[in-house]
Every structure is written in structure tokens, then in C-alpha cells.
Amino acid sequence: MLGVQEGAKEDKESWTRFLRHLKSRGLTGVRLFISDKCLGLVESLTDFYPEAKWQRCVVHLYRNVFTVVPKGKVKEVSAMLKAIHAQEDREAAEEKIEAVVKKLKGMKLSQAARIVEEGANETLSYYAFPSQHWRSLRTNNPLERLMREIRRRTRVVGAFPDGQSALMLVAARLRHVSDTKWGNRQYLNMDRLTESMMEMA
């Protein structure tokens, strides 16, 4: 956890303010951002970290597709989507996207086909990193887990007198999580990332 700030909504202005805050505190060398397709964040990234890649969370893409798929076909479509991210490299994944789009159109699922065609390539940035990390880099599940914990705590309070009081509760909870066993678990072996950087240099 690098920082927390109050924001009225997830628009470009709020994300710009937060990224400027991180940059001013010295955050450099960022190679990858993983998030859902929050346009405010995606639009702001290039202003502060133009060298970093952006990875769209595959789970969020799947959920977007499932909203336009009949319940009886969700399992079949899910297997098709997972096949995209089970490929050995990005080129193969891109070929699989084309095959999936074609199959979805054949199944008369044109809306699902359009979502995959327009968004699936945004979920392939993880292929630029060591294969041992692919599973961890495909989604923003750790952040989602953290946000569930924050929502669980703030719902107990209900209404806050002001934004500052809400921020204080959230920050206190984040400090607690960071001091627990869960907060101290190693998510990635950074030595592998360092080795890959040296190989690319």
C-alpha cells in the first residue's frame, strides 16, 4: 500500500490528484498498473508514468462479457475467455481472441463479441513480464480484497460527518492490514522482475 486519499468519484481529476501525490512523494520506476477499466485512471497514467504498461483486470472483462450472455451459455463462454489467457505468449493470445470473437458471432452473441474484440487486448500486458508472475498480474484481486475489507468497516459506521473522518478510518484500517500476516505476505518475487529488466536492458 502506497497511499490513500479522499476522492469524490473515480474521475480523471481525482486520479490525477492521487497520482501527483504519489509522484511528489518519490514513486518512480513503475512498470505496470493493474486495474479495471476506470477511464479516469487510465487517462491519467500517461501524464505521470508514461513508461508504465496498463493491464486491464481479466476478471472485470469477463464480468462485462457475462452481462450480455444468457445464463445458459455463461459456462461455455467463460471457458472460451479463459482459453485466451492460457496461451503461451501474447501472439497466440491475440490469435485466440480472433477465434473467440468469430465463435461468439457464430453463437449470435454479437454484444459479447464486440466487448471481447474491443477490450481483450487490454488484458494481455502481463505477457511482457516473467511467466512465473502471469497468474498474479492478470487481475487486481489483491486490491479488490482490500476494498472489500474497507467497505465492510465503513458500512458499520454508515454516515460520516465529513470526508476527513472517513479517510481517518480507512487509513487506520489499511495500517492494521499492513501490519498483519496478510499484509506482510510476498505477492511477487521481485528478483525475477529485476532479472527480466536486466535481460531487456
Side-chain angles (χ1 to χ4, degrees):
M1 287 170 278
L2 302 176
V4 56
Q5 270 193 345
E6 177 191 359
K9 54 185 176 179
E10 291 194 72
D11 58 2
K12 185 174 182 181
E13 181 181 346
S14 296
W15 279 112
T16 295
R17 187 168 64 252
F18 184 62
L19 292 172
R20 183 180 292 119
H21 167 69
L22 294 179
K23 191 97 173 184
S24 69
R25 289 174 48 218
L27 180 61
T28 59
V30 179
R31 296 184 59 201
L32 182 69
F33 284 90
I34 309 166
S35 73
D36 60 3
K37 194 168 183 178
C38 172
L39 292 179
L41 172 60
V42 177
E43 291 171 0
S44 301
L45 290 179
T46 54
D47 295 337
F48 296 92
Y49 297 99
E51 70 285 356
K53 296 179 183 296
W54 172 63
Q55 164 72 31
R56 181 178 180 181
C57 174
V58 301
V59 174
H60 284 85
L61 175 71
Y62 294 177
R63 289 175 184 163
N64 291 345
V65 174
F66 296 155
T67 60
V68 295
V69 172
K71 285 186 178 180
K73 295 185 177 179
V74 166
K75 190 173 182 180
E76 182 181 0
V77 172
S78 176
M80 292 162 58
L81 295 175
K82 289 177 181 177
I84 293 172
H85 302 102
Q87 300 303 309
E88 67 273 14
D89 56 36
R90 180 165 184 144
E91 184 179 357
E94 289 172 346
E95 290 175 3
K96 180 58 77 172
I97 289 171
E98 292 178 10
V100 168
V101 168
K102 185 176 180 180
K103 188 170 182 180
L104 288 171
K105 288 178 178 177
M107 295 168 66
K108 309 298 184 190
L109 298 173
S110 57
Q111 284 183 289
R114 179 180 54 78
I115 293 171
V116 173
E117 190 170 29
E118 294 177 357
N121 273 288
E122 298 170 338
T123 66
L124 305 181
S125 298
Y126 67 90
Y127 277 111
F129 296 87
S131 58
Q132 300 95 326
H133 290 325
W134 288 355
R135 185 177 178 185
S136 298
L137 297 178
R138 285 196 294 248
T139 74
N140 65 341
N141 285 347
L143 179 61
E144 292 294 326
R145 169 67 183 85
L146 194 58
M147 295 306 293
R148 281 200 303 272
E149 175 64 15
I150 290 172
R151 283 191 290 270
R152 187 173 71 86
R153 290 293 174 171
T154 54
R155 281 197 197 106
V156 173
V157 177
F160 291 90
D162 53 43
Q164 186 62 30
S165 60
L167 183 62
M168 287 176 64
L169 174 62
V170 170
R173 192 61 196 164
L174 291 174
R175 280 194 298 270
H176 171 74
V177 170
S178 68
D179 289 337
T180 64
K181 184 178 179 181
W182 184 80
N184 290 320
R185 286 169 56 192
Q186 185 183 43
Y187 188 62
L188 297 174
N189 182 344
M190 300 307 289
D191 291 338
R192 289 177 183 152
L193 292 179
T194 302
E195 288 170 8
S196 71
M197 287 179 67
M198 292 174 65
E199 290 171 4
M200 290 189 295

